């Protein structure tokens, strides 16, 4: 069974796919899923359509009650798996049914990969393993299988990158080294075949055609398509001014076009509608857009300042822009914490902003509250310790660093950082022996950490 590009489909079907791409941008996810399902029934090897379908399925799944979807999926899975493996076509169909219910189902994705491989849809099999990798990115066996799938699909470069990712986690992994060797051989052979086929001009023309087809099959719309969607959304807002979906499409379009001021203006108009006044998602969107606009101004002024480093006006404008960005971030984070005082993770974010802005007193108060959240407790202890240290309250800082140190067992980078901070506090207090005792802990594990070796050598040289 061959794998095909969108351009190889019937022109009427190509139009359906184009409409589905537009529908995805508008948020009409059920339509996208249904159209793609119909196309894949007759062209299961059309990978761009399968990618488009998965994008819609994932967005739809995230917007629904995941627990209910999982429960439904668990009821149907047993019947779907039964008797499917002997018939790859049936297995492919069953996998698609499962993924329609739960696109995060790893068993369904594995069934899709197995069926696709049996049907010689090698790129589709690799696509399925990519989806599994995205769900469990650190799983060694998944990465190994993905690498093998890439080689089978004629993608040795991607296989090499996958092998490299495994070796970053496990430098001496024999299977990953074998995968790398196999991918290197495949890449060399692939290069040789390319060089042996046809004239340079023919190969260049074929490659350009392949790129054009790939671009035509992409889900991401071009600037022209985005402009078209914005124009259509403006018309729909005029006809249905209370429909928030039209405003969201407008905001998304303007953001993609880089017109952040227009995006902010329209999200504010959406929040003025009766249904938008209490919409928390719109509120967060406005904050994100304002932050992005301020960040862009800082970035633009920094670029201009790099070109004209002696321009006093630019220096002042850049400093003012940085101050405005920091002030806005703190104001929004503080307002959120005031509304949700028991969101201790949000307090940790606010404390970090205060710390970065040099307001250590406010940072300490929020780090103290953030310690009630187990997920950020250790980081909050460290942040509070650094804030106390910045205020030269070294004895209080020591207590925070010691508490954080005691809660970590492995001597990883975080614990080295904590022990180093603890030792530096002892040094500032004039407790040299206590400081050296902490530095020795790091020295025994990592002689190259910061300037620990110099401190230890200096200590012994002075004795």
């Amino acid at each position: 069974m061959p794998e095909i590009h969108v351009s190889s489909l019937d022109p009427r079907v190509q139009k359906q796919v184009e409409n589905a791409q537009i529908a995805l941008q508008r948020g009409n996810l059920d339509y996208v899923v249904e159209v793609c399902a119909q196309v894949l029934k007759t062209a299961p090897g059309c990978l761009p359509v399968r990618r488009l379908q998965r994008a819609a399925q994932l967005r739809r799944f995230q917007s629904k009650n995941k627990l209910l979807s999982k429960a439904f999926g668990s009821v149907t899975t047993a019947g779907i798996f039964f008797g499917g493996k002997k018939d790859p076509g049936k297995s492919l169909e069953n996998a698609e049914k499962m993924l329609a219910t739960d696109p995060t189902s790893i068993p369904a994705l594995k069934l899709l990969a197995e069926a696709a491989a049996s049907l010689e849809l090698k790129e589709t099999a690799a696509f399925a393993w990519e989806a599994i990798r995205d769900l469990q990115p650190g799983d060694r066996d998944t990465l190994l299988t993905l690498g093998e799938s890439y080689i089978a699909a004629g993608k040795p470069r991607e296989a090499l990158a996958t092998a490299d990712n495994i070796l970053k986690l496990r430098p001496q992994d024999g299977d990953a080294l074998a995968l790398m060797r196999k991918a290197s051989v495949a890449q060399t052979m692939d290069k040789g075949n390319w060089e042996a086929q046809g004239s340079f001009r023919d190969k260049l023309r074929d490659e350009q055609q392949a790129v054009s087809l790939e671009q035509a099959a992409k889900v991401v719309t071009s600037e022209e398509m985005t402009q078209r969607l914005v124009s259509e959304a403006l018309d729909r807002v005029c006809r249905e001014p209370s429909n928030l979906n039209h405003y969201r499409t407008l905001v998304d379009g303007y953001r993609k076009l880089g017109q952040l001021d227009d995006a902010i203006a329209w999200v504010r108009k959406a929040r003025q509608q009766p249904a938008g006044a209490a919409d928390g998602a719109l509120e967060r969107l406005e904050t994100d857009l304002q932050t992005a606009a301020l960040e862009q101004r800082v970035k633009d002024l920094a670029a201009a300042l790099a070109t004209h480093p002696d321009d006093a006006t630019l220096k002042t404008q850049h400093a003012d822009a940085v101050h405005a960005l920091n002030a806005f971030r703190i104001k929004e984070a503080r307002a959120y914490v005031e509304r949700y005082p028991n969101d201790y993770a949000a307090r940790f974010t606010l404390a970090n902003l205060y710390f970065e802005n040099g307001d250590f007193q406010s940072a300490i108060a929020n780090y103290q509250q953030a310690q009630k959240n187990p997920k950020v407790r250790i980081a909050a202890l460290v942040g509070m310790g650094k804030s106390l240290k910045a205020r030269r309250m070294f004895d209080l800082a020591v207590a925070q660093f010691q508490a954080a140190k005691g809660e970590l067992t492995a001597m990883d980078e975080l614990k080295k950082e904590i022990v180093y901070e603890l030792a530096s506090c002892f040094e500032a207090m004039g407790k040299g022996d206590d400081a050296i005792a902490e530095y020795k802990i790091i020295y025994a594990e990592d002689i190259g950490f910061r300037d620990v070796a110099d401190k230890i050598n200096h200590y012994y040289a002075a004795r």
Side-chain angles (χ1 to χ4, degrees), residues 178-238:
L179 174 63
M180 180 162 282
R181 287 193 294 270
K182 187 187 297 186
S184 298
V185 172
Q187 187 175 42
T188 301
M189 293 177 63
D190 185 58
K191 182 179 179 182
N193 289 336
W194 191 88
E195 290 173 347
Q197 293 172 358
S199 68
F200 173 79
R201 190 173 299 278
D202 290 339
K203 287 179 290 190
L204 184 60
R205 183 176 63 250
D206 292 342
E207 189 174 273
Q208 289 172 337
Q209 184 182 16
V211 170
S212 298
L213 290 173
E214 182 180 355
Q215 292 294 329
K218 281 188 175 180
V219 174
V220 180
T221 59
S222 65
E223 184 174 336
E224 290 183 4
M225 180 68 77
T226 304
Q227 290 279 14
R228 172 182 164 187
L229 290 170
V230 166
S231 299
E232 291 176 356
L234 284 169
D235 291 338
R236 291 196 299 274
V237 165
C238 293

Side-chain angles (χ1 to χ4, degrees), residues 397-407 418 422 426 438:
V398 163
Q400 299 298 311
F401 291 131
Q402 285 178 329
K405 174 187 171 184
E407 294 193 20
I418 292 168
L422 175 59
F426 281 135
E438 299 298 332

Side-chain angles (χ1 to χ4, degrees), residues 43-318:
C46 191
L47 185 54
V49 172
R50 196 173 293 280
R51 291 187 185 278
L52 176 62
Q53 181 190 55
R54 179 160 181 79
Q57 286 175 337
L58 286 171
R59 283 176 56 179
R60 184 175 68 175
F61 183 72
Q62 289 165 1
S63 67
K64 291 183 177 180
N65 187 319
K66 294 185 180 181
L67 292 177
L68 287 177
S69 296
K70 290 278 188 184
F72 180 76
S74 64
V75 171
T76 57
T77 296
I80 285 175
F81 270 121
F82 180 75
K85 291 187 178 181
K86 294 181 180 179
D87 183 350
K90 185 66 175 177
S91 293
L92 188 70
E93 180 183 337
N94 289 338
E96 290 169 345
K97 288 179 181 178
M98 293 167 64
L99 292 170
T101 300
D102 179 7
T104 66
S105 170
I106 290 176
L109 288 166
K110 287 183 177 179
L111 184 62
L112 174 63
E114 180 184 347
S118 298
L119 293 168
E120 293 297 313
L121 299 175
K122 296 176 181 178
E123 289 191 52
T124 301
F127 157 76
W129 281 107
E130 284 175 344
I132 296 169
R133 184 268 320 275
D134 293 342
L135 294 170
Q136 46 185 36
D139 185 73
R140 170 186 174 274
D141 292 339
T142 295
L143 291 173
L144 283 171
T145 308
L146 173 59
E148 294 289 350
S149 297
Y150 278 141
I151 292 174
K155 296 183 175 182
R157 188 182 306 172
E158 289 83 348
L160 280 170
T162 303
D164 186 56
N165 288 336
I166 301 172
L167 291 171
K168 286 177 182 178
L169 301 172
R170 300 166 175 249
Q172 301 302 320
D173 191 301
D175 291 330
L177 291 169
L179 174 63
M180 180 162 282
R181 287 193 294 270
K182 187 187 297 186
S184 298
V185 172
Q187 187 175 42
T188 301
M189 293 177 63
D190 185 58
K191 182 179 179 182
N193 289 336
W194 191 88
E195 290 173 347
Q197 293 172 358
S199 68
F200 173 79
R201 190 173 299 278
D202 290 339
K203 287 179 290 190
L204 184 60
R205 183 176 63 250
D206 292 342
E207 189 174 273
Q208 289 172 337
Q209 184 182 16
V211 170
S212 298
L213 290 173
E214 182 180 355
Q215 292 294 329
K218 281 188 175 180
V219 174
V220 180
T221 59
S222 65
E223 184 174 336
E224 290 183 4
M225 180 68 77
T226 304
Q227 290 279 14
R228 172 182 164 187
L229 290 170
V230 166
S231 299
E232 291 176 356
L234 284 169
D235 291 338
R236 291 196 299 274
V237 165
C238 293
R239 295 196 302 270
E240 301 177 87
S242 61
N243 190 327
L244 295 182
N245 288 331
H246 303 331
Y247 292 90
R248 289 191 175 95
T249 301
L250 266 177
V251 172
D252 185 56
Y254 280 127
R255 179 167 55 179
K256 287 179 179 178
L257 293 170
Q259 300 175 20
L260 295 176
D261 289 340
D262 290 324
I264 293 169
W266 279 101
V267 79
R268 285 174 177 167
K269 289 180 182 179
R271 294 188 64 197
Q272 291 171 2
Q273 301 302 315
D279 192 318
L282 287 175
E283 181 182 359
R284 289 191 297 274
L285 180 58
E286 182 179 354
T287 299
D288 291 343
L289 288 168
Q290 287 178 282
T291 303
L294 291 168
E295 287 174 341
Q296 188 60 49
R297 175 158 176 76
V298 169
K299 183 178 178 181
D300 291 343
L301 287 169
L305 195 57
T307 306
H308 304 90
D310 299 325
D311 191 318
T313 301
L314 281 176
K315 288 181 180 178
T316 301
Q317 290 177 340
H318 180 258

Side-chain angles (χ1 to χ4, degrees), residues 27-35 56 60 64:
N28 192 352
L29 305 178
D30 290 337
Y31 173 82
V32 180
V33 172
E34 179 59 30
V35 168
R60 184 175 68 175
K64 291 183 177 180

Side-chain angles (χ1 to χ4, degrees), residues 287-288 290-296 298 321-337 346 349-354 356-357:
T287 299
D288 291 343
Q290 287 178 282
T291 303
L294 291 168
E295 287 174 341
Q296 188 60 49
V298 169
V322 170
H323 177 75
L325 174 60
N326 291 337
F328 178 77
R329 283 173 169 165
I330 289 175
K331 184 191 77 167
E332 292 298 319
R334 186 171 57 231
Y336 183 87
V337 164
T349 300
L350 178 59
N352 286 336
L353 292 171
Y354 277 131
E356 292 168 6
N357 212 42

